[in-house]
Amino acid sequence: MNYSGLYRRLMYNTNITYNWSPSYYMNHSLSPIDISTINNNDKRYTNILNYNDYPESYQNKFNKYFMLSLKYNFNYLVPFALEQRNHNMRLSVNFESSGLFLKGLNALFAPDHRWVLSRNSLDSTGYNYTTFEKLEFTWNYTYKINSNNSIAMHVNAGAIVPLDKESFVPYERGFYVGTSNSMRGWGYRGLGPGSYEHGRDSLFTGDVKFELNLEYRGTLYRTFKFGLFADIGNIWLSKKYDDMPGADFDFTRFYKEFALDVGFGLRLDFDFFVIRLDYAVPVYDPTRTSCGRWLNARWLDNPRSMRILDGLKVAIGYAF
């Protein structure tokens, strides 16, 4: 069960998982059965979420969902020769297929209507099942210049594709950027989707994600470290909505919608435990169509001006 102060929600999850490691460098994890429910809008409780902050088409992501999924995860640590011990590279792939079994049963036994589970008199909405395919790829690379300095790179990309018009990707299953580990110049889930310009209090997740992070890590004195970094990326929706212009992924413009921030950080690195303090400033924001996307003085005069504390991040461990 999970409770978030952002809005009221209740989630249950159970699964059967098989893990195996053919070698020290490789690990597989397969969940042939993963059952979960998400309840964001139970009418028996008071909603904290202000739906007026979100376009009508996007509100479908906050429905109640029942998901029967198959999940697979693969992790690989690239082995290097002894003379290349200053290199470290890791690859990770996550895959999820949700709702196909339920969709097949629905088509077989009740082809005239779409099933809604656990509908009752107190909450007539019930739980919808949704069908989608999700694939995510992560690449981490660190080059150790010497005992005190290194360069780190991180790439994270993914896509979620709903398989029919009645299926939506639940808000909790979507990709997001704007945390202590991604796009650090923005607040929590504060960036995207695409170039869609929205209010400061609305937080979005997307169906497509790409992010690239670069970081130089140096030493001030023993355990006192520092970092210089830049984050590039954004999220998008897979579907086009008339009330959310610029939010969908479009090959003709997506490359113009990569956000950029730069920053500086201080770290206490005890090898087994790291305390990190980062501060980042947005340099290019694709959603600021009304006052210029590149950093300029008008950002501070605009009602949607960046909040100074948005770029301040305190975390445990390195970002990647």
Side-chain angles (χ1 to χ4, degrees), residues 24-270:
Y24 171 80
Y25 302 99
M26 190 180 303
N27 174 262
H28 301 268
S29 178
L30 176 65
S31 299
I33 299 176
D34 186 285
I35 302 173
S36 59
T37 63
I38 300 177
N39 185 352
N40 287 328
N41 61 355
D42 195 323
K43 292 182 173 59
R44 290 171 292 185
Y45 304 101
T46 302
N47 288 310
I48 296 177
L49 181 69
N50 184 4
Y51 286 98
N52 294 328
D53 290 338
Y54 299 90
E56 184 177 354
S57 57
Y58 189 85
Q59 293 177 19
N60 290 306
K61 288 180 174 289
F62 297 107
N63 290 339
K64 295 172 60 176
Y65 288 103
F66 175 87
M67 283 167 289
L68 177 60
S69 305
L70 178 148
K71 294 182 179 180
Y72 170 73
N73 172 259
F74 171 74
N75 291 287
Y76 182 61
L77 173 62
V78 179
F80 288 99
L82 290 177
E83 61 272 15
Q84 296 179 308
R85 285 179 297 179
N86 53 339
H87 298 272
N88 183 285
M89 186 184 300
R90 294 176 181 269
L91 303 174
S92 175
V93 177
N94 290 288
F95 172 74
E96 179 180 0
S97 178
S98 180
L100 284 180
F101 182 71
L102 290 175
K103 182 178 176 63
L105 292 179
N106 192 172
L108 181 63
F109 294 104
D112 297 332
H113 68 275
R114 190 180 182 90
W115 283 343
V116 178
L117 309 176
S118 190
R119 180 178 285 169
N120 55 61
S121 58
L122 291 176
D123 188 0
S124 60
T125 57
Y127 287 86
N128 299 285
Y129 75 86
T130 182
T131 59
F132 62 83
E133 302 294 305
K134 179 178 180 179
L135 182 64
E136 183 178 11
F137 169 82
T138 304
W139 175 78
N140 289 303
Y141 173 74
T142 303
Y143 175 72
K144 190 174 182 179
I145 301 173
N146 52 46
S147 59
N148 293 322
N149 301 275
S150 62
I151 297 174
M153 290 177 281
H154 172 261
V155 174
N156 179 232
I160 312 174
V161 181
L163 298 184
D164 57 62
K165 294 182 179 180
E166 295 177 298
S167 289
F168 299 91
V169 181
Y171 181 81
E172 283 78 10
R173 283 292 201 273
F175 300 112
Y176 61 90
V177 286
T179 69
S180 59
N181 296 333
S182 71
M183 303 308 298
R184 285 163 276 186
W186 281 262
Y188 178 66
R189 302 193 182 193
L191 174 61
S195 57
Y196 172 63
E197 190 166 5
H198 55 80
R200 297 290 305 189
D201 295 327
S202 50
L203 309 178
F204 289 84
T205 61
D207 311 325
V208 179
K209 176 184 179 181
F210 181 86
E211 184 177 7
L212 168 66
N213 312 94
L214 303 172
E215 186 167 294
Y216 176 82
R217 297 168 180 171
T219 301
L220 295 173
Y221 179 74
R222 294 186 177 180
T223 60
F224 291 93
K225 312 285 186 177
F226 73 91
L228 297 171
F229 59 86
D231 304 318
I232 304 169
N234 206 341
I235 57 172
W236 295 264
L237 299 180
S238 59
K239 296 180 180 180
K240 184 176 181 179
Y241 300 120
D242 293 336
D243 53 2
M244 296 184 68
D248 61 302
F249 183 85
D250 191 322
F251 279 103
T252 63
R253 69 165 200 278
F254 81 95
Y255 58 91
K256 302 177 183 178
E257 297 172 341
F258 285 118
L260 168 66
D261 68 53
V262 295
F264 174 80
L266 296 174
R267 296 87 193 270
L268 283 175
D269 188 344
F270 302 102

